[in-house]
Amino acid sequence: MDFIGKLLHTSRKNKSLLCIGLDPDPELMPRVGILEFNKAIIDTTCDLVCAYKPNLAFYEALGIAGLTILEKTIEHIPGDIPIIGDAKRGDIGNTAKAYAKALFSTFGFDAATVNPYLGFDSIEPFISYRDKGVFILCRTSNKGASDFQDLPCLSGFPLYEVVAQKAKQWNAYGNIGLVVGATYPEELRKVRSICPEMCLLIPGIGAQGGDLASAVGYGVDAQGEKAIIAISRQILYASKERDFAQAARNRAEKIRNQINEYRNKGR
């Protein structure tokens, strides 16, 4: 099953557009090991999500031991749940080929985030894995996104719209998606209009202040699907006590249900 098929299967089974970011921060975590923490979060939320999204930075920061934790975390996730490697890779073609192999073949992610700044040849090695998802950074959720992404291009469109248009052109295998932050709802609505059938990965809810109702309303496709609402800190650190896993489940279930309420209102 390719990434989109796997995503839709799990999303429909769990009635969920919620993706939990597995981004363990020792300064925010309860006093447990990182692998134990990740496993507990997965065990208590796996029936509530459409995907998990480990951000590689939190594991790379720990060195070789962190990569081992990442590997064991991936192994612990049930096989029917897609895993998005949030790596934001982007380099010249030959290097991009190695990055794609690392993420898709070595670690076994079902999808990955990539940076389009170097152009098509930096993206093509990822796209060539036809059964894998490739989420191109389009309009990111951070405050500094406007420094470049809003700049007008020669075509008269802002850069983020050009990225969306290019992604649509490059989507020959149907495995490209876009990263669009919930913190910019009007831009999210514009990107969805440009790419009505594409899968959107939508971070920025919770700690970054994005509005959940807008993210769902503007992010879903015509069938109320293909929007992945990615939330990390708001769920992971619902409690720093022994009940952290149950607290994370309670928060995740509440958000999953809120998302579904907004989906139903729009249909």
Side-chain angles (χ1 to χ4, degrees), residues 180-210:
V180 188
T183 45
Y184 298 98
E186 290 304 316
E187 289 86 340
L188 173 59
R189 178 160 58 177
K190 182 63 178 180
V191 171
R192 175 51 83 194
S193 71
I194 295 170
C195 302
E197 298 180 357
M198 198 171 283
C199 191
L200 302 183
L201 177 60
I202 307 173
I205 298 294
Q208 290 181 282

Side-chain angles (χ1 to χ4, degrees), residues 172-265:
Y173 306 136
N175 61 340
I176 291 179
L178 293 168
V179 179
V180 188
T183 45
Y184 298 98
E186 290 304 316
E187 289 86 340
L188 173 59
R189 178 160 58 177
K190 182 63 178 180
V191 171
R192 175 51 83 194
S193 71
I194 295 170
C195 302
E197 298 180 357
M198 198 171 283
C199 191
L200 302 183
L201 177 60
I202 307 173
I205 298 294
Q208 290 181 282
D211 179 66
L212 184 59
S214 297
V216 176
Y218 297 157
V220 296
D221 66 4
Q223 287 72 46
E225 299 181 308
K226 291 189 178 178
I228 303 172
I229 310 296
I231 300 177
S232 302
R233 285 169 282 181
Q234 188 178 2
I235 293 173
L236 296 183
Y237 310 121
S239 172
K240 294 186 70 172
E241 306 303 325
R242 292 182 179 180
D243 68 341
F244 72 91
Q246 184 61 47
R249 176 182 174 80
N250 293 344
R251 184 69 58 81
E253 187 170 23
K254 180 179 179 180
I255 295 171
R256 191 273 308 262
N257 292 342
Q258 287 177 329
I259 290 171
N260 287 336
E261 287 177 11
Y262 295 135
R263 289 172 79 186
N264 292 333
K265 286 181 181 178

